[in-house]
């Protein structure tokens, strides 16, 4: 399962933040953003429990982390069906 954390880091704390972030084995990618949040961190875990532990006990407590927003795949509970346009039997106009 995949999750994403948007976060801000205190000025000057970036080296310490990235040094510690690198030790979290579930982290897959980090992107720099130009918006309300500075970084997007992609996380992969085997179970929802592991994901929650990584998000709350590890990433949120790294040095310099000021604010986070967390998004977890399938967090609503159960499977959600996604209908792709090419899978629909009848097509609807886009306008």
């Amino acid at each position: 399962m995949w999750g994403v954390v948007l976060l801000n880091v205190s000025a000057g704390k970036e080296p310490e933040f990235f040094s510690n972030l690198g030790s979290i084995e579930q982290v897959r990618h980090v992107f720099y953003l130009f918006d309300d949040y500075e970084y997007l961190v992609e996380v992969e875990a085997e179970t929802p429990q592991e994901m929650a532990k990584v998000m709350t006990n590890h990433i949120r407590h790294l040095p310099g982390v000021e604010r986070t927003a967390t998004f977890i795949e399938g967090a609503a509970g159960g499977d959600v069906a996604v209908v792709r346009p090419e899978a629909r039997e009848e097509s609807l106009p886009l306008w």
Side-chain angles (χ1 to χ4, degrees):
M1 86 179 320
W2 284 87
V4 174
V5 181
L6 302 174
L7 55 88
N8 290 332
V9 177
S10 302
K13 290 285 192 175
E14 292 89 354
E16 188 177 3
F17 167 77
F18 282 110
S19 174
N20 287 289
L21 184 67
S23 68
I24 301 173
E25 68 181 56
Q26 293 87 350
V27 171
R28 296 296 178 250
H29 299 97
V30 179
F31 299 93
Y32 183 73
L33 306 174
F34 295 96
D35 207 355
D36 291 336
Y37 289 93
E38 297 172 306
Y39 300 100
L40 181 150
V41 178
E42 287 185 346
V43 179
E44 183 180 19
E46 293 294 322
T47 65
Q49 294 79 14
E50 179 186 7
M51 181 68 70
K53 181 178 178 182
V54 170
M55 300 291 195
T56 59
N57 296 347
H58 299 291
I59 293 177
R60 289 185 183 165
H61 295 320
L62 290 175
V65 173
E66 293 181 337
R67 183 176 104 167
T68 65
T70 303
F71 304 88
I72 299 175
E73 170 191 30
D79 293 328
V80 177
V82 175
V83 178
R84 304 198 185 284
E86 62 274 8
R88 296 180 67 154
E89 289 185 25
E90 56 183 73
S91 66
L92 299 173
L94 296 176
W95 57 93

